[in-house]
């Protein structure tokens, strides 16, 4: 019942701009929509409004769903071609809202950047929405083709009144293609638009007879308690509704991983076996073989020079050591290998799947070729078969995808997507390859993303325990559509402690911490406290060590082993189940920063405290959240930088928790445990 009530509430604010025209046989026809009440459905968790048009013969469903017991509702528009002609539809927004602005108060919005490439110094944006405010945030899986400096956002936004209960609403998009969210305030009204990015125009999509177009699903929820209030509700909902239940039932999730990329493309059998042995010794839980293992781009067989006995023996060795085995792939890339089963750019069949022809003499990069458009049914079928083979043949427990799964644009006129308008074609050069944006770019991404989701849904069905790492050029595919089709995200492509903390700080506003992976690269650690600082900077969610751990000295080994044991015992349960609070400004590497986890179910939490490089800044107070002012809490300083202590909730929420660290670039974990009434 709650669901329908919520849906009805939102429907009051939602506008229903039904498409006014469509194109049939080159002619633009006005579309007259008639409501079909006999086809509508209003249940406990779903509300469906239905409209039909006679000519062209279309049926439109306007759906609201409440899949979670708590949290946001979801909305989508579905259009089906019931006629016998091909119909061209204009771009249709997922949702348009007009929300009244209260008479007083300070209206705020928050959105966060993806940590793609390297996270920027201020990836969490807090705006004030005054009259005339106008903002648009974009998401795709690429840097902006013309404005590289324009950062993409994780497609979601929160808006709240910053007075009193700090109440408001949030909305986001469950799609990995080209989307945008815009806000515009005019007087006492705030308009929000969410959906596919209509630029460049004219943006349109083809519906063959019997085909269905579905707008990206959007979610919409109400909250109190400012940004962390919204985040704590949204993260739980993502876990409960979008997440894979099997993954969350896995007590090892999020896993402790050892990844081979610290040695780059130089990985081979000897190194892999050495890493597996050391992973076991350190208490890590997965060996992740990164790029460098394959015969060639598009040729996903092990390189016989590096892995003369294949990958099966590596998987077996990992399994014998009690570890899982994960593998990197970039399966939408074609290159020059002529081996059987490889994607070759000159193969006449494959040639037409490419987003554009390659120039004569073209050569792939080490791990990047020319993208095939998986929106083409034959290419989707190839990918489907290839991934099934890789997963089975190499005995995978985890499959990582990287690279450009979703084509940025495509010049082909015989693919399911719209052909490009030549006047809108813009070619950008990246990675030595041609990328195209044109009027069809959004539609190209629409079809490719649908294919990607179908492939992964099928793979998950056939391999229910298989984990999926979502990586797209490091942190470019962080959105709620991929969250529904994978288990964790590579959130940035820069792996030093500060970048890891920045990317985590930003992304954790919107997505469950367990899903946020930090790669921890080799970094100067003259003192053991610097070493722990490096580890912990990547240990607030999912951690993948990206170093040759056999190079660590004895003291570092011992410290790491201790940290990993602590992670399993105390930190991981909080990362999975706790509420998360941003108890400092964005990390800048100079000042202090921190994250608090608090699990109200067992009244236990932790503060990750990081001291930056500032030489004269030995102490900091963190104002905590989530605690009860009338209760008492026991504090335990893991590294012994202060004796254990007892403080009242009132103090911790008021003047705060003081942490003192003598050395710059060091850290502390302060566990907070409520003193029981009987004690
Ligand atoms: Zn195409």
């Amino acid at each position: 019942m709650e669901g329908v009530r919520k849906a009805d509430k939102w429907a009051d604010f939602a506008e229903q701009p039904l498409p006014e025209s469509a194109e049939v046989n080159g002619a633009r026809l006005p579309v007259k929509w008639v409501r079909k009440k006999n086809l509508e459905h209003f249940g406990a968790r779903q509300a469906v409004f239905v409209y039909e048009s006679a000519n062209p013969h279309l049926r439109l469903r306007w759906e609201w769903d409440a899949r979670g017991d708590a949290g946001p509702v979801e909305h989508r528009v579905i259009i089906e071609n019931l006629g016998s002609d091909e119909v061209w539809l204009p771009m249709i927004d997922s949702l348009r809202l007009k929300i009244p602005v209260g008479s007083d108060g300070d209206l705020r919005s928050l959105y966060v950047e993806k940590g793609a490439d390297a996270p920027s110094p201020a990836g969490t944006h807090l705006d004030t929405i005054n009259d005339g405010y106008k903002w648009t945030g974009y998401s795709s899986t690429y840097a902006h083709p013309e404005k590289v400096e324009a950062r993409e956002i994780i497609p979601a936004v929160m808006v709240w009144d910053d007075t009193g209960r700090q109440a408001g609403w949030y909305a986001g998009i469950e799609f990995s293609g080209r989307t945008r969210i815009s806000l515009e305030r005019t007087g006492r009204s705030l308009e929000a638009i969410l959906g596919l990015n209509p630029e460049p125009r004219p943006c349109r999509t083809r519906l063959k007879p019997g085909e269905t177009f579905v707008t990206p699903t959007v979610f919409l929820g109400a909250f109190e308690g400012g940004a962390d209030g919204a985040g704590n509700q949204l993260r739980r909902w993502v876990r409960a509704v979008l997440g894979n239940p099997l993954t969350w039932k896995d007590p090892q999730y999020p896993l402790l991983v050892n990844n081979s990329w610290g040695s780059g493309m130089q990985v081979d059998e000897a190194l892999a076996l050495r890493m597996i042995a050391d992973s076991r010794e350190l208490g890590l839980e997965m060996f992740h073989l990164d790029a460098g293992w394959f015969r060639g781009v598009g040729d996903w067989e092990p390189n016989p020079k590096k892995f003369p006995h294949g990958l099966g023996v590596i998987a077996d060795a990992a399994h014998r050591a009690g570890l899982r085995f994960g593998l990197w792939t970039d399966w939408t890339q074609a290159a020059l290998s002529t081996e059987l089963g490889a994607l070759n750019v000159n193969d006449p069949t494959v040639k037409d799947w490419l987003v554009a022809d390659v120039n004569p003499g073209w050569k792939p990069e080490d791990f990047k070729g020319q993208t095939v458009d998986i929106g083409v049914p034959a290419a989707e079928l190839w990918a489907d078969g290839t991934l099934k083979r890789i997963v089975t043949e190499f005995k995978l427990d985890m499959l990582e995808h990287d690279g450009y799964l979703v084509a940025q644009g495509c010049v082909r006129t015989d693919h399911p997507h719209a052909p490009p308008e030549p006047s809108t074609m813009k070619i950008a050069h990246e990675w030595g390859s041609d990328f195209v944006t044109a009027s069809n770019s959004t539609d190209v991404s629409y079809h490719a993303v649908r294919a990607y989701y179908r492939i992964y849904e099928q793979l998950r069905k056939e391999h229910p325990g298989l984990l999926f790492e979502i990586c797209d050029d490091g942190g470019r595919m962080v959105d709620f559509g991929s969250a529904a089709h994978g288990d964790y995200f590579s959130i940035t492509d820069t792996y030093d402690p500060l970048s890891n903390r920045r990317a985590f700080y930003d992304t954790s506003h919107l997505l469950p911490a367990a899903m946020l992976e930090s790669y921890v690269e080799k970094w100067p650690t003259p003192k053991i406290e610097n070493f722990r600082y490096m580890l912990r900077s990547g240990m607030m969610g999912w951690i993948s060590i990206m170093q040759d751990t056999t190079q660590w000295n004895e003291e570092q080994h011992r410290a790491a082993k201790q940290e990993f044991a602590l992670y399993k015992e105390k930190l991981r349960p909080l990362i999975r189940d706790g509420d998360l609070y941003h108890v400092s400004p964005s990390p800048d590497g100079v000042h202090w920063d921190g994250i608090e986890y608090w699990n109200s179910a067992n009244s236990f939490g932790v503060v990750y405290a990081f001291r930056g490089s500032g030489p004269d800044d030995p102490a900091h107070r963190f104002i905590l959240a989530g605690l009860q002012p009338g209760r008492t809490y026991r504090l335990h300083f893991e590294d012994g930088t202060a004796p254990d202590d007892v403080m009242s909730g009132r103090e911790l929420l008021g003047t705060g928790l003081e942490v003192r660290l003598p050395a710059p670039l060091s850290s502390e974990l302060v566990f907070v445990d409520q003193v029981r009434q009987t004690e």
Side-chain angles (χ1 to χ4, degrees):
M1 282 300 110
E2 174 72 355
V4 170
R5 263 208 325 275
K6 280 196 288 190
D8 280 354
K9 191 178 105 198
W10 288 118
D12 286 348
F13 298 124
E15 299 187 317
Q16 265 184 54
L18 307 178
E20 288 172 0
S21 68
E23 211 182 296
V24 181
N25 297 322
R28 182 156 295 279
L29 297 181
V31 180
K32 286 198 182 62
W33 295 103
V34 179
R35 195 162 164 191
K36 292 282 181 186
K37 289 200 171 179
N38 58 320
L39 297 176
E40 296 188 343
H41 168 75
F42 299 92
R45 286 180 176 265
Q46 196 185 43
V48 183
F49 301 80
V50 182
Y51 298 83
E52 276 192 16
S53 135
N55 183 35
H57 196 182
L58 300 171
R59 179 179 295 157
L60 182 149
R61 289 159 60 89
W62 212 69
E63 290 191 358
W64 291 92
D65 284 296
R67 289 197 283 163
D69 293 329
V73 295
E74 292 168 291
H75 174 68
R76 70 186 68 78
V77 182
I78 301 168
I79 300 181
E80 192 185 347
N81 181 358
L82 300 175
S84 49
D85 289 318
E86 184 174 283
V87 176
W88 287 87
L89 292 173
M91 226 290 297
I92 299 154
D93 288 321
S94 295
L95 185 65
R96 283 170 174 264
L97 290 169
K98 267 215 164 89
I99 299 180
V101 174
S103 56
D104 42 29
D106 195 357
L107 200 60
R108 293 300 188 99
S109 71
L110 181 140
Y111 58 93
V112 299
E113 296 172 2
K114 292 176 184 168
D117 189 10
S120 79
T124 298
H125 295 257
L126 186 59
D127 287 3
T128 299
I129 304 183
N130 294 317
D131 191 11
Y133 176 82
K134 221 172 161 177
W135 166 82
T136 303
Y138 298 95
S139 175
S140 71
T141 47
Y142 293 86
H144 195 285
E146 288 139 73
K147 288 179 277 177
V148 178
E149 76 280 5
R151 307 276 312 182
E152 289 219 324
I153 62 159
I154 299 173
V157 67
M158 305 172 179
V159 175
W160 72 93
D161 180 337
D162 206 27
T163 57
R165 295 176 298 120
Q166 297 195 301
W169 57 273
Y170 60 84
I173 305 178
E174 299 168 34
F175 205 65
S176 312
R178 301 182 80 244
T179 60
R180 62 87 171 82
I181 300 177
S182 66
L183 294 177
E184 185 169 1
R185 178 173 169 182
T186 316
R188 285 290 162 86
S189 174
L190 179 66
E191 185 183 45
I193 304 176
L194 293 95
L196 291 169
N197 182 358
E199 304 289 345
R201 294 170 195 270
C203 179
R204 55 187 195 141
T205 196
R206 178 203 328 250
L207 262 193
K208 286 186 177 157
E211 279 186 349
T212 299
F213 169 82
V214 185
T215 61
T217 299
V218 296
F219 59 81
L220 186 57
F223 69 92
E224 290 180 4
D228 283 334
N232 284 325
Q233 187 197 101
L234 176 58
R235 285 186 292 265
R236 279 183 197 289
W237 180 83
V238 170
R239 169 180 175 165
V241 172
L242 304 184
N244 182 3
L246 267 181
T247 299
W248 283 94
K249 271 188 201 137
D250 180 347
Q252 281 191 323
Y253 176 78
L255 280 80
L256 288 162
V257 179
N258 203 353
N259 173 288
S260 67
W261 194 241
S263 305
M265 298 291 285
Q266 304 315 314
V267 65
D268 61 13
E269 184 181 283
L271 175 68
L273 294 176
R274 205 167 69 231
M275 288 185 72
I276 287 169
D278 206 41
S279 300
R280 177 190 196 157
E281 160 61 24
L282 286 164
L284 297 169
E285 298 164 319
M286 187 196 299
F287 173 63
H288 178 179
L289 186 50
D290 211 300
W293 61 272
F294 45 83
R295 204 155 54 185
V297 173
D299 181 10
W300 307 112
E301 287 289 348
N303 182 327
K305 288 197 195 92
K306 297 177 182 176
F307 293 93
H309 306 98
L311 292 192
V313 297
I314 308 294
D316 288 344
H319 293 151
R320 271 200 308 276
L323 306 173
R324 294 189 221 190
F325 179 52
L327 190 68
W328 179 99
T329 51
D330 189 356
W331 48 268
T332 59
Q333 304 296 301
L336 297 174
S337 170
T338 51
E339 298 281 355
L340 192 69
L343 271 189
N344 182 302
V345 294
N346 299 312
D347 176 331
T349 312
V350 174
K351 210 174 159 75
D352 184 59
W353 303 348
L354 304 177
V355 296
D357 289 337
V358 294
N359 297 324
W362 173 88
K363 282 204 171 56
E365 312 272 320
D366 275 352
F367 49 93
K368 163 83 185 72
Q370 176 73 327
T371 305
V372 299
D373 183 354
I374 53 171
V376 179
E380 179 182 338
L381 201 65
W382 176 89
D384 205 42
T386 300
L387 289 180
K388 279 175 189 161
R389 176 184 65 75
I390 290 174
V391 168
T392 318
E393 191 177 320
F394 304 139
K395 306 176 190 177
L396 299 193
D397 304 296
M398 188 280 283
L399 175 73
E400 177 197 358
H401 75 60
D402 193 0
Y404 301 95
L405 250 67
V406 178
Q408 183 169 25
C410 182
V411 303
R412 307 289 179 196
T413 54
D414 59 348
H415 287 183
H417 56 71
E421 302 272 336
S423 61
T424 66
M425 297 247 294
K426 291 209 171 71
I427 312 273
H429 294 279
E430 200 182 332
W431 290 69
S433 183
D434 292 341
F435 287 80
V436 183
T437 48
S439 59
N440 67 346
S441 291
T442 296
D443 197 40
V444 170
S445 79
Y446 171 80
H447 286 274
V449 168
R450 293 283 180 223
Y452 159 49
Y453 292 169
R454 278 193 298 270
I455 292 168
Y456 267 41
E457 278 162 17
Q458 191 57 31
L459 208 50
R460 199 174 245 183
K461 217 179 273 172
E462 290 169 18
H463 300 273
L466 181 68
L467 290 163
F468 294 119
E469 174 176 347
I470 303 148
C471 179
D472 187 303
D473 195 13
R476 293 204 188 277
M477 195 191 261
V478 181
D479 63 74
F480 299 90
S482 47
H485 293 87
D487 300 294
Y488 65 107
F489 296 98
S490 160
I491 56 172
T492 180
D493 218 12
T494 307
Y495 316 116
D496 60 276
L498 176 60
S499 299
N500 278 336
R501 295 210 304 285
R502 277 178 167 160
F504 183 86
Y505 183 93
D506 298 341
T507 316
S508 63
H509 278 98
L510 298 170
L511 285 156
M515 299 185 81
L516 310 183
E517 177 193 35
S518 303
Y519 284 97
V520 174
E521 72 176 2
K522 194 169 161 60
W523 188 74
T525 55
K527 293 183 187 164
I528 199 66
E529 47 265 50
N530 308 134
F531 182 80
R532 274 197 293 263
Y533 167 91
M534 168 195 80
L535 286 183
R536 289 169 180 170
S537 294
M539 230 165 134
M540 291 181 278
W542 176 302
I543 180 168
S544 290
I545 303 294
M546 204 175 71
Q547 310 181 28
D548 184 352
T549 57
T550 60
Q551 307 286 317
W552 287 349
N553 66 31
E554 185 126 0
E555 187 189 27
Q556 291 170 337
H557 249 97
R558 214 170 30 244
K561 208 170 162 170
Q562 219 166 39
E563 291 301 304
F564 299 151
L566 185 68
Y567 181 88
K568 291 178 192 170
E569 190 204 343
K570 290 184 171 174
L571 298 173
R572 178 156 60 194
L574 286 166
I575 290 166
R576 286 170 59 100
D577 303 324
D579 280 337
L580 184 153
Y581 296 96
H582 295 81
V583 291
S584 75
S586 294
D588 65 5
V590 178
H591 301 94
W592 289 68
D593 61 84
I595 291 283
E596 176 196 346
Y597 281 104
W598 180 249
N599 186 353
S600 50
N602 61 0
S603 302
F604 184 69
V606 70
V607 176
Y608 283 75
F610 296 97
R611 180 183 166 182
S613 59
D616 308 314
D617 198 11
H620 184 77
R621 279 184 178 277
F622 291 97
I623 311 294
L624 303 194
L627 312 180
Q628 294 183 49
R631 301 281 185 171
T632 310
Y633 297 89
R634 190 176 292 117
L635 306 173
H636 170 65
F637 295 77
E638 186 61 31
D639 300 343
T641 56
D644 289 2
D645 198 2
V646 173
M647 277 177 84
S648 74
R650 194 162 284 109
E651 288 173 284
L652 292 166
L653 296 164
T655 47
L657 162 72
E658 192 187 58
V659 183
R660 288 187 158 270
L661 294 175
L665 303 175
S666 65
S667 65
E668 176 63 289
L669 295 170
V670 187
F671 289 98
V672 183
D673 196 0
Q674 188 186 305
V675 177
R676 317 290 145 180
Q677 292 303 71
T678 51
E679 289 176 42

